[in-house]
Amino acid sequence: MKAADVMADIVDRLIIEIESGAQQWRMPWNTATGLPHNAVTGNAYRGANILALWLEAITSGYTSSGWATYKQWQSIDAQVRKGETGTRLIRWVEKKRNDDTADASTTNDDDQTGTRLVPVAFSVFNLAQCDTATSTVTVQLAPRHEGNFAHFFDAVPAVIRWGTGHPCYLPERDEIRMPEWEAFTTTAAGHATLAHELGHWTGHASRLDRDLTGRFGDDSYAIEELIAEMSAAFTCAEVGIVPAIRDDHAPYLAHWLRVLKAEPRHLWSVASSAQAATDHLAIYSTPTATRQRVA
């Protein structure tokens, strides 16, 4: 399968899952378990590949967050069962600009270096697809902040004003406003909501410099909301908490669907920006900046 077809398939599956949960204001990642990681190397998957693996886990009922290629499973004496189908992901490979093998519609040009990033499809299999007792496979875990999420959030140097009403981020003041902590039914819900607002906070001109000038109803506004929502899901997976189901996102759902259906490639830029936002937040609680990454 071509990379462009894999990317289109991921978008189509995401749209179906969003539509199926729209009445409960539930995004697909509200039912996801754990941060997908390579079970052999321990490296975390990233961006849209996280979404692809979450969607497959939801569809197939996988409870393990461990994935690997066919050969990687073999390298640790685990055998993928005959007849199992792999989950297609995308990795970006650097190519010279005079290489005409890539689809221009899915290529990122880099004029300064004379190279371009070309999407290449590859397949991975979940631990549940391996014909071996799980006790015989030592699954490495990706670097995470699980069990210490209070430290993760406390380390972020954002200005947060508690007890000031509806959760929001004000770019012009560069501050986050949150209700009283007691307004949240669980600690996880409070931190998940904060993760969303911190996702917006990373977009300030002094940090990742995203366009925060959109207004409700604009595509740019909907995309920024989706970046923050997706970043919150990635951040929650990093620290080991369940993303909150927020009914205040109901007005955005139809807009998100319209944007994704009109231009599926938006998902890759959104997922990339969301991953960058989560990476930025993690820097504050990871001084050595040695976070491992895979595609």
Side-chain angles (χ1 to χ4, degrees):
M1 183 181 290
K2 294 182 179 180
D5 295 331
V6 173
M7 296 167 82
D9 180 64
I10 293 172
V11 175
D12 288 344
R13 295 182 70 178
L14 177 61
I15 288 172
I16 290 171
E17 286 297 325
I18 291 176
E19 289 178 331
S20 69
Q23 298 305 313
Q24 295 80 34
W25 308 297
R26 174 182 58 78
M27 296 295 282
W29 41 80
N30 291 121
T31 59
T33 57
L35 182 66
H37 61 277
N38 187 286
V40 177
T41 67
N43 295 343
Y45 291 98
R46 296 172 56 76
N49 283 340
I50 294 177
L51 300 180
L53 294 175
W54 275 345
L55 291 170
E56 184 60 35
I58 291 168
T59 301
S60 300
Y62 299 145
T63 58
S64 173
S65 298
W67 303 78
T69 66
Y70 187 92
K71 289 184 177 179
Q72 284 178 320
W73 282 122
Q74 283 189 321
S75 73
I76 58 173
D77 298 323
Q79 180 62 52
V80 175
R81 286 192 299 273
K82 185 177 181 180
E84 292 286 351
T85 302
T87 299
R88 293 277 190 169
L89 303 181
I90 295 292
R91 63 171 173 261
W92 294 86
V93 178
E94 190 173 276
K95 299 283 187 179
K96 292 182 179 179
R97 285 175 57 80
N98 60 1
D99 184 345
D100 296 327
T101 60
D103 179 355
S105 66
T106 56
T107 301
N108 291 337
D109 288 330
D110 186 342
D111 294 329
Q112 293 181 337
T113 63
T115 62
R116 58 185 179 179
L117 294 177
V118 178
V120 176
F122 69 103
S123 295
V124 295
F125 298 84
N126 189 268
L127 173 62
Q129 296 176 276
C130 293
D131 192 15
T132 181
T134 56
S135 60
T136 67
V137 179
T138 302
V139 178
Q140 301 296 323
L141 295 179
R144 318 180 41 160
H145 298 80
E146 186 171 6
N148 197 21
F149 55 83
H151 169 70
F152 180 95
F153 290 104
D154 290 345
V156 179
V159 175
I160 304 172
R161 302 196 183 281
W162 294 91
T164 52
H166 189 77
C168 65
Y169 170 65
L170 303 178
E172 65 278 6
R173 300 176 65 93
D174 192 22
E175 69 178 38
I176 293 171
R177 294 185 177 179
M178 294 282 286
E180 295 288 352
W181 186 254
E182 291 72 21
F184 298 101
T185 55
T186 66
T187 298
H191 281 112
T193 300
L194 180 58
H196 178 97
E197 302 309 333
L198 285 171
H200 286 308
W201 176 84
T202 67
H204 190 267
S206 65
R207 289 178 283 276
L208 300 182
D209 194 20
R210 294 195 306 273
D211 179 10
L212 302 178
T213 62
R215 295 291 182 267
F216 184 81
D218 298 341
D219 282 359
S220 61
Y221 185 88
I223 288 173
E224 172 58 26
E225 281 296 324
L226 186 54
I227 289 171
E229 174 73 0
M230 201 175 293
S231 174
F234 293 165
T235 299
C236 287
E238 279 275 354
V239 301
I241 60 177
V242 178
I245 297 176
R246 295 179 55 171
D247 57 5
D248 61 344
H249 285 170
Y252 303 122
L253 289 174
H255 203 162
W256 288 338
L257 289 169
R258 186 178 68 76
V259 167
L260 291 175
K261 288 178 179 178
E263 186 48 82
R265 285 180 295 176
H266 276 322
L267 177 63
W268 261 257
S269 60
V270 166
S272 178
S273 294
Q275 185 67 70
T278 292
D279 288 348
H280 185 87
L281 296 176
I283 288 172
Y284 299 107
S285 56
T286 313
T288 56
T290 57
R291 290 159 55 77
Q292 294 173 296
R293 302 177 181 182
V294 293

